[in-house]
Amino acid sequence: LLKMEGESIPTKMRAVIRDDPQGESLRVEIIDVPVPKEGQVLCKVMATPCNPSDYLLAKGIYGVPKYKPKGSEVVSPGLEGSGIVVKVGPGVDEGLVGKKV
């Protein structure tokens, strides 16, 4: 998702998906890149850990995953990450594009 001068944002990305309600089965899937909505940003994730809170999230014990691919009951766990803002939604300062987060 990293947008360099003259490059466009890809339409697909990799995501860790939980499609098992018990969280016993995680897999990597290619999904559509989400479009940022009002007040949101799209980031290219450069680093992300897999830690105990992610395991608990996948099991449905800790928090509620926010992202579900459109038309799907699967969820993508993940609580932490760092990267670069590549696109902003309506109402967000364009000056954030290119900033590290």
Side-chain angles (χ1 to χ4, degrees):
L1 290 178
L2 182 58
K3 185 176 181 180
M4 302 298 248
E5 191 172 329
E7 289 185 17
S8 62
I9 296 171
T11 60
K12 299 288 183 182
M13 66 182 224
R14 280 175 272 171
V16 175
I17 301 294
R18 178 197 89 180
D19 54 357
D20 159 15
Q22 286 75 41
E24 298 296 330
S25 173
L26 297 175
R27 60 189 164 76
V28 176
E29 185 176 307
I30 303 297
I31 64 170
D32 292 331
V33 171
V35 175
K37 297 177 182 163
E38 186 168 346
Q40 296 180 335
V41 298
L42 177 65
C43 297
K44 174 174 177 65
V45 176
M46 305 300 284
T48 185
C50 184
N51 58 44
S53 60
D54 293 298
Y55 171 76
L56 295 173
L57 181 69
K59 298 280 289 176
I61 297 170
Y62 180 79
V64 178
K66 303 283 189 212
Y67 179 71
K68 287 187 178 185
K70 186 176 180 179
S72 175
E73 289 303 311
V74 301
V75 297
S76 182
L79 297 172
E80 301 170 352
S82 63
I84 299 172
V85 176
V86 294
K87 189 173 183 180
V88 298
V92 179
D93 181 1
E94 288 280 339
L96 292 176
V97 173
K99 299 287 184 183
K100 294 178 182 179
V101 293

